[in-house]
Amino acid sequence: MAVIEARGLGKSYKGKVAVNGLSFDVRPGTVTGFLGPNGSGKSTTMRLMLGLDRGHGTCTFDGRPFIEYRNPMREVGALLEAKPFHPTRTARNHLRMLATANDIPEGRVDEVLAIVGLSDVAGKAPSTFSLGMGQRLGLAAALLGNPHTLILDEPANGLDPQGIRWMRDLLKALASEGRSVFVSSHLLSEMALMADELVVIGRGRMIANGPVSDFTSRAAGNHVVVRTPQAHDLAALIGQRLAGVGSVQATEPGVVQVTGLDASAIGDLAFENQIRLHELSTHTASLEEAFLQITGGSEEYQAQRPPTGFQPPAPQQQPGYGQQPGYGQQPGYGQPPAGYGQPGYQQPPGGWAPPPTQQAPHQPQQPGTNQQFGGQA
Ligand SMILES: Nc1ncnc2c1ncn2[C@@H]1O[C@H](COP(=O)(O)OP(=O)(O)OP(=O)(O)O)[C@@H](O)[C@H]1O
């Protein structure tokens, strides 16, 4: 099965650097999420990987560039932002044409239409499709050659919640069969459930590359909560153990919040000193929090603050969303540590030691009702 190796990818538009020396691997059997603020260079990178844009660097799929494959759709399935659908040709005929050009058996067309849930509208022209249906047809085209590698730019764009969950389950299933899946998305909660690895860029440069769990565990705000009737004694012991690295603070009577020491170390310390614990829990940043911290300041397009007197709508936010104390750019974030983002990167220095992580559990797909475009997993 294929590994994607991108090396030194770069591209400038009229002297402005859009992608700057990106190198990363995408391993078989994984979903690798590609994250970055608007305009950070994700789509340009994907086009460079496929040789659709002229630029610097190389990208190989199992050791060969995409354009060197005789039947590239059998090797790499791509869904990019621009969808080249013929205005009058039906969805089925569009796929038939691609199948013929790539030496793919025609029977595969109806298979992929069923996989993406478009069998009922296969005789209609894509110009009549909604955004989400167009995305499904683009995905059908990407899957047509049963490729071992998928490069998907915002595939969930326009999908309804059932469609998003279906897409997540499909991509995870494809990866579990040994495929390499490289997917960009702004849906960070989806990415948290779907991706094994991340490539995070800002202004065309690598910011982070590695397992999702490493990424979230390094975020500022990760801490351990300890509830104990001997909070004062425990806080003093933790303070001594921390020796100035990390923090311990009482957030309410009988509760201390600790950074710089993980739950097992705190549990051991309490046990050794006969301190009773009523709660010992690790709180890890969400992918969204970690992403906003690490990309803070690298947005190409930053919205202005609302004018004075603006009343925000009543909060319907997720915990940790919006402007929270300690939110935004933290010391050590925003600027990628030296050498960070290179393949096989080493632990960056200072304040990045990962405590154990808590990832949201994967939710198995429930049988949906009223799904017009349900798709097969
Ligand atoms: N054809 C083009 N001509 C000129 N500039 C371009 C072109 N395509 C992209 N750019 C610029 O290159 C930069 C990266 O754009 P790109 O579309 O790759 O970002 P992106 O991360 O995919 O953004 P988004 O998340 O909004 O889709 C942006 O500054 C964009 O304006």
Side-chain angles (χ1 to χ4, degrees):
M1 284 292 178
V3 60
I4 305 175
E5 292 176 311
R7 294 291 176 270
L9 295 178
K11 172 83 184 170
S12 297
Y13 291 105
K14 293 183 182 156
K16 187 183 170 212
V17 179
V19 175
N20 196 339
L22 290 184
S23 297
F24 55 88
D25 291 348
V26 179
R27 290 186 296 108
T30 63
V31 175
T32 299
F34 193 24
L35 302 180
N38 286 136
S40 55
K42 300 181 296 298
S43 301
T44 306
T45 301
M46 287 178 156
R47 288 198 303 272
L48 287 169
M49 291 169 77
L50 295 167
L52 301 175
D53 255 357
R54 289 160 67 100
H56 303 292
T58 58
C59 183
T60 56
F61 302 87
D62 248 353
R64 291 170 66 185
F66 180 71
I67 51 167
E68 282 187 12
Y69 282 102
R70 199 160 150 257
N71 291 315
M73 288 185 84
R74 291 173 156 221
E75 310 296 333
V76 182
L79 170 62
L80 301 184
E81 271 178 331
K83 283 165 214 70
F85 298 139
H86 191 278
T88 55
R89 200 174 276 140
T90 66
R92 182 180 280 114
N93 282 344
H94 168 72
L95 295 175
R96 271 191 190 142
M97 184 197 69
L98 292 174
T100 306
N102 284 272
D103 222 0
I104 295 165
E106 204 179 307
R108 178 70 179 158
V109 167
D110 282 328
E111 274 176 34
V112 292
L113 283 166
I115 289 171
V116 302
L118 290 181
S119 300
D120 291 348
V121 291
K124 295 195 169 160
S127 54
T128 64
F129 283 5
S130 68
L131 179 60
M133 291 162 75
Q135 287 295 94
R136 286 169 185 263
L137 182 57
L139 186 64
L143 295 174
L144 196 60
N146 198 15
H148 47 63
T149 301
L150 287 163
I151 296 189
L152 310 171
D153 197 1
E154 296 277 349
N157 200 8
L159 293 184
D160 57 24
Q162 289 93 336
I164 289 170
R165 189 163 69 180
W166 161 78
M167 171 77 69
R168 178 213 311 160
D169 290 340
L170 176 66
L171 299 188
K172 283 176 76 81
L174 291 167
S176 72
E177 291 167 7
R179 291 179 176 81
S180 307
V181 180
F182 188 56
V183 54
S184 74
S185 178
H186 290 291
L187 300 174
L188 297 180
S189 54
E190 269 312 299
M191 205 57 109
L193 294 172
M194 183 168 68
D196 307 291
E197 306 265 333
L198 289 179
V199 172
V200 185
I201 63 171
R203 293 180 184 261
R205 287 178 180 273
M206 184 69 80
I207 293 182
N209 179 201
V212 176
S213 53
D214 281 10
F215 185 71
T216 49
S217 64
R218 289 190 191 105
N222 292 340
H223 61 271
V224 178
V225 170
V226 194
R227 195 176 292 274
T228 167
Q230 295 154 271
H232 186 266
D233 295 344
L234 182 63
L237 287 165
I238 292 172
Q240 285 168 17
R241 176 68 63 87
L242 287 171
V245 181
S247 68
V248 54
Q249 50 183 298
T251 51
E252 57 183 281
V255 178
V256 288
Q257 189 171 305
V258 184
T259 62
L261 212 55
D262 67 20
S264 54
I266 295 168
D268 288 349
L269 190 63
F271 178 77
E272 285 156 15
N273 291 278
Q274 297 187 322
I275 289 176
R276 233 178 317 149
L277 300 186
H278 293 171
E279 181 189 337
L280 181 62
S281 54
T282 302
H283 294 251
T284 308
S286 68
L287 179 58
E288 179 176 83
E289 289 167 324
F291 175 79
L292 291 173
Q293 286 175 19
I294 205 167
T295 60
S298 70
E299 305 100 312
E300 172 98 344
Y301 307 103
Q302 298 192 13
Q304 291 184 342
R305 284 174 165 277
T308 315
F310 172 81
Q311 290 296 317
Q316 291 181 326
Q317 299 166 336
Q318 302 298 318
Y321 198 79
Q323 294 293 326
Q324 301 286 328
Y327 207 63
Q329 207 156 357
Q330 302 292 319
Y333 282 87
Q335 294 300 320
Y340 201 60
Q342 301 306 313
Y345 70 91
Q346 298 295 309
Q347 203 73 280
W352 289 68
T357 57
Q358 288 179 330
Q359 256 191 276
H362 173 61
Q363 299 289 326
Q365 184 169 8
Q366 303 296 320
T369 51
N370 281 334
Q371 275 180 251
Q372 196 177 0
F373 310 105
Q376 296 175 350

